[in-house]
Every structure is written in C-alpha cells, then in structure tokens.
Amino acid sequence: MLISQVSQLSGTPAATIKYYVRSGLLPAGTRSGENRTSYDESHVERLRLIRAMLEVGKLSVSSATAVLAALDDTSKPIAETFEVAQNALARDAVADVSEPSEESFERADGVIDRAGWNDCRDNVGRRILAQTIDGFARAGHTMSDEYLDRYAAAADIVAAADLDAVGAIADPSERTELMVVGTVLGDSLSLGLRRIAQAHRTAERNL
Amino acid sequence: MLISQVSQLSGTPAATIKYYVRSGLLPAGTRSGENRTSYDESHVERLRLIRAMLEVGKLSVSSATAVLAALDDTSKPIAETFEVAQNALARDAVADVSEPSEESFERADGVIDRAGWNDCRDNVGRRILAQTIDGFARAGHTMSDEYLDRYAAAADIVAAADLDAVGAIADPSERTELMVVGTVLGDSLSLGLRRIAQAHRTAERNL
C-alpha cells in the first residue's frame, strides 16, 4: 500500500511516518518504482505500537528504538528480551540521577527479601527503588519499612495481573509484545488509578 | 548565609541555584549590600524539595513551579491544594495525548465504580486511565475488566499507605508537603517495585 493509506489506517501523518523511518523506529518500505515506496500491514501494526510507546508510555525515541530492537530479536528467550526492554524502559526514569547511597541499597534489598522476590539483585528496579528512598530522604522525609512493604504488596498484585495476561497468549512474539506494551502502559495505569484512589481517600478522611 | 554555603549544604551548584531563582522555583535571596545576597535555611529546604521533584520525580520545571505555588498557598484547604498539585503532576503524564474515546471513559468509570471510589469523576486520573485503555487498544490489545480491577486494588493499597503516612503528621504545611512529595516519588516507587516483581514472576513461571 502507499504511504497515504498507511497514514489513514494508522491515523499517523505521512510526515511523522517518514520521521519514524529516519529515526530507525519503523522499517523502510520497499521501493517499487521511481518515487514509489510500498508498505504493508506490518507497518500499520508497528505504527500502533510506536505511538502507544511514545504518546501514552512517554518513552523517548531512543528508548523506543531499543525496545523495538529487543522485540525484533527472536533468537533470545522471552525472559532475556523482557530484561532488555525493562532496562530501556527504565532508562528514561533513572537518567541524570546520582548513584544511590549504600544505605538505600540496603533498605531496598530488605524490601526485596521481605517480599520473597528471589534473584532480582541485577534488576533495574532495585536501583530505581534505592534512588526513590534517597529522594524521600533528600526531601526531608524517611519512609518506614511498613510503607515500603505496602507498596511492594501492591506491585506484586500488579505483576501477577501482568503475567496472567501474558501467559494467556499462545503466540511467542505476540506474548513478548504484550509484555513490553504492558510494561509501558501499566505504569500509566498505576499512575492514573493511584491519583483517583488518593482523591477518594483524601475526601473520605476529611483532610 | 552566602550562596556558597547554600550550595554546600544542599549539594547544589551555585549556577543551578541561580537558574532555579530565575525560573521562579526558588525565592530570591535578600540583597544585603553591594553584590551580596543573603539566603537562609528555608532556601536549603526548598532546594531539597526542588531536586526531589526534578531529579527523582522527573517533573518539568513548569510543573514543579505549579506544585510549589500550590504548596505555598496556605489559604486553601489541604484537599484543594492536593488537587492542584495532582493536576500539575499529571500534566507531564498526559501532555500531547489525544482526547480519550467515549468508550474508554465508560470503561474507566466502571473500574472507578467497582472500586467503590466516590466523587472522583473530575480527577485527572480518570483521564489518564481512559487514555491508557485507549493506548492498549491502539497497540492491538484489549485489557479485561478483571485486569483493570486488579490494578485498581493495588492502587487502593498504595493510596491507603500514602494517606496513613500523611495522617501521622500533625503540622499542616509539613503534611501537605509530604502529600506532594509522596505523589511524585510514590510513582517512582511503584515503577521500580513493579519491575522487580515482574522479573521475579517471569523467572518463577519459566517464561
């Protein structure tokens, strides 16, 4: 199909499609003659994924490129692809932040141990957790272990829901894609729901 | 104190402090003579808060300015200050995203009703929730109500922990500050813990 049709089917302006191709986010179409490039259904699908990552997931173009490269490498086991994607997805969240303190890493490990999460010491989330504990301290607040453990219990519920949704899909590449999409969009889901739950509880307590 | 002392106590370069003053994030010091400006402890504390919001919370300078303005307006009840802060905090998350579909707003309202959250229709989280449901659909995945309800249950746990931490503080201005800091940093906390929980469950299920 022509770029105009891809544009119409995906709801993406032709200039944006060309920009994604230049950025390496979207594979180029096939030259099918003088000044003529052909695209197919795979371009339309990939465009939906790109827009979900950039617009809803708020990923940078470079992080989105890394996630798509991990998705496309079918030689890796799913767990490994997922780790690459997690790191790329976390890059935007942890950029430009100073190294967490030893003390915060220790507190993070305490939370991880009490949650019963094994073999997760290399996970990028451990660093984000330690940085956030440091952030609270820098802002003059110390969060109790009980507070952190309640957040961990909530994260466990969310991760179980994610893995159940992923496990229900048979096709491996579709399954990996949902893991990545779910990681990006699940963060927005948590963020939005937390705002509503906070407003409800604030009203409830007459604060 | 001199800017050099503020810089040392807060761990912020003097040039950065001057940039925050120019941006309206930090009140200017008091002119105490030719080429001499005095700062006090309140500047050091405010700097800690600014850095937590920008570096760990990843807020834009304009969103951080709006949050600080809400914090400083002590004439408002806490719930109202909190709402202003929530909107400012959400602005970065929802910028440049198209209007959610009617269908997604309806699904969002279903989640809110089943969670038992009252009077939350005006909350910015409802819009983020609807946009995320649209994002999943655009990426080719439909999330079940059960999936969304499990996320809502997790958000409820997190919001209860937030409000318990805030409720334990007696001083009103310190309490409002923790609500704002907690809203910013709690998102990072959820994000980090979710990554670890996902890695644990992926390994557990041998995916």
Side-chain angles (χ1 to χ4, degrees), chain B residues 14 172 195:
Chain B
R195 298 282 178 283

Side-chain angles (χ1 to χ4, degrees), chain A residues 48 55 58 86 93 95 97 138 147 150-151 162 164 175 182-183 187 194-195 198 201 205 207, chain B residues 48 55 58 86 93 95 97 138 147 150-151 156 162 164 175 182-183 187 194-195 198 205 207:
Chain A
R48 289 203 187 105
E55 294 175 15
K58 300 284 154 204
Q86 273 204 336
V97 178
R138 238 185 283 143
Y147 179 83
R150 287 166 83 178
Y151 263 77
D162 289 337
D164 283 348
R175 189 191 272 187
T183 299
D187 288 335
R194 181 169 172 248
R195 299 281 178 283
Q198 283 181 332
R201 291 204 173 254
R205 297 191 188 197
L207 277 175
Chain B
R48 289 204 188 104
E55 294 176 15
K58 300 283 152 203
Q86 272 204 337
V97 178
R138 238 183 284 141
Y147 179 83
R150 287 166 83 178
Y151 264 77
D156 212 36
D162 288 337
D164 283 348
R175 190 191 270 188
T183 299
D187 287 335
R194 182 170 171 246
R195 298 282 178 283
Q198 282 180 331
R205 299 191 187 197
L207 276 176

Side-chain angles (χ1 to χ4, degrees), chain A residues 6-22:
Chain A
V6 178
S7 169
Q8 203 172 13
L9 283 170
S10 66
T12 315
T16 306
I17 296 174
K18 287 177 185 165
Y19 165 70
Y20 291 160
V21 171
R22 281 199 307 277

Side-chain angles (χ1 to χ4, degrees), chain B residues 2-206:
Chain B
L2 298 173
I3 194 165
S4 57
Q5 288 168 283
V6 178
S7 169
Q8 204 171 13
L9 283 169
S10 66
T12 314
T16 306
I17 296 174
K18 287 176 184 166
Y19 166 69
Y20 290 159
V21 171
R22 280 199 309 276
S23 313
L25 276 170
L26 188 71
T30 318
R31 287 242 144 198
S32 56
E34 195 77 38
N35 289 324
R36 211 181 143 94
T37 311
S38 286
Y39 297 84
D40 59 33
E41 184 56 38
S42 71
H43 289 93
V44 178
E45 270 174 37
R46 178 53 57 103
L47 271 168
R48 289 204 188 104
L49 188 56
I50 293 169
R51 296 192 66 188
M53 291 202 287
L54 298 183
E55 294 176 15
V56 185
K58 300 283 152 203
L59 287 202
S60 66
V61 168
S62 72
S63 292
T65 308
V67 172
L68 291 171
L71 258 184
D72 290 340
D73 183 352
T74 50
S75 70
K76 289 194 177 118
I78 290 190
E80 204 175 313
T81 305
F82 191 39
E83 203 188 317
V84 173
Q86 272 204 337
N87 283 318
L89 294 172
R91 212 194 290 156
D92 296 343
V94 296
D96 310 323
V97 178
S98 48
E99 180 69 16
S101 66
E102 260 317 303
E103 199 194 327
S104 292
F105 267 131
E106 273 170 37
R107 290 204 62 201
D109 289 338
V111 177
I112 292 170
D113 288 343
R114 286 192 301 277
W117 295 331
N118 308 317
D119 294 324
C120 300
R121 292 290 160 95
D122 294 337
N123 189 273
V124 67
R126 179 176 172 254
R127 195 186 166 80
I128 297 174
L129 177 56
Q131 279 169 341
T132 311
I133 293 170
D134 273 343
F136 271 113
R138 238 183 284 141
H141 299 278
T142 308
M143 306 323 288
S144 68
D145 280 343
E146 192 223 342
Y147 179 83
L148 297 173
D149 289 346
R150 287 166 83 178
Y151 264 77
D156 212 36
I157 290 175
V158 153
D162 288 337
L163 270 292
D164 283 348
V166 165
I169 292 174
D171 179 64
S173 79
E174 207 189 314
R175 190 191 270 188
T176 313
E177 189 190 296
L178 181 59
M179 279 174 105
V180 173
V181 171
T183 299
V184 179
L185 297 186
D187 287 335
S188 301
L189 209 54
S190 293
L191 189 148
L193 287 164
R194 182 170 171 246
R195 298 282 178 283
I196 309 172
Q198 282 180 331
H200 167 70
R201 292 204 172 253
T202 307
E204 195 185 55
R205 299 191 187 197
N206 264 320

